[in-house]
Amino acid sequence: MYQPYLSPDDLPSNKTTLLSGIWLTQLEEATKNSFFLACKSTVRILLSSCHWYFKVNSGILILILVCHDLKSYQHLMTTIPYLANKLKRFANQAKISVSSPVNEGIPWMVNINEFWTGED
């Protein structure tokens, strides 16, 4: 088991840890709303056809997309460069995770800086 090097007096209180979790959740939700509004209408419709949300993990913003059918998965895959370009406005380091419908397509994750996205 991992033992922290800091004494209990130097660790954050339970209240601080709880508040940090609440603020992180609020940040993820605000980012989701702002990101949705920053997208063009056709992409908004596409996002509405699947389950999607933001998660911050180790300081990296992750856009998680869960597709319910193969058609929305295929359409989403074609918009990855656009989504990556939009994400660059919200974070220096970000990833996109796309989950395909069960047993259809290939689930994957891409770093937004791994490819050139060009203009909107």
Side-chain angles (χ1 to χ4, degrees):
M1 175 147 188
Y2 171 73
Q3 295 294 324
Y5 293 109
L6 299 173
S7 71
D9 291 339
D10 294 330
L11 295 173
S13 68
N14 288 339
K15 184 176 180 181
T16 300
T17 303
L18 179 63
L19 285 174
S20 293
I22 291 169
W23 290 333
L24 187 60
T25 301
Q26 289 176 341
L27 175 64
E28 292 166 348
E29 191 62 30
T31 303
K32 179 181 178 181
N33 293 335
S34 296
F35 180 79
F36 187 77
L37 293 174
C39 291
K40 58 186 177 183
S41 61
T42 54
V43 175
R44 288 183 194 175
I45 293 168
L46 185 57
L47 287 171
S48 298
S49 72
C50 63
H51 177 70
W52 66 282
Y53 56 97
F54 281 100
K55 205 72 183 149
V56 176
N57 188 359
S58 300
I60 298 174
L61 182 66
I62 304 172
L63 170 59
I64 299 172
L65 302 152
V66 181
C67 303
H68 301 294
D69 57 61
L70 192 55
K71 186 176 180 180
S72 64
Y73 173 78
Q74 291 169 337
H75 287 301
L76 256 174
M77 296 305 285
T78 64
T79 63
I80 294 300
Y82 175 86
L83 296 173
N85 195 36
K86 288 296 177 192
L87 269 178
K88 286 182 180 182
R89 297 180 182 182
F90 292 87
N92 293 330
Q93 290 187 349
K95 295 181 179 184
I96 300 174
S97 171
V98 183
S99 297
S100 61
V102 178
N103 297 325
E104 297 179 33
I106 301 168
W108 60 278
M109 184 177 290
V110 64
N111 185 322
I112 63 167
N113 296 319
E114 287 182 4
F115 53 91
W116 181 76
T117 57
E119 295 293 322
D120 285 6

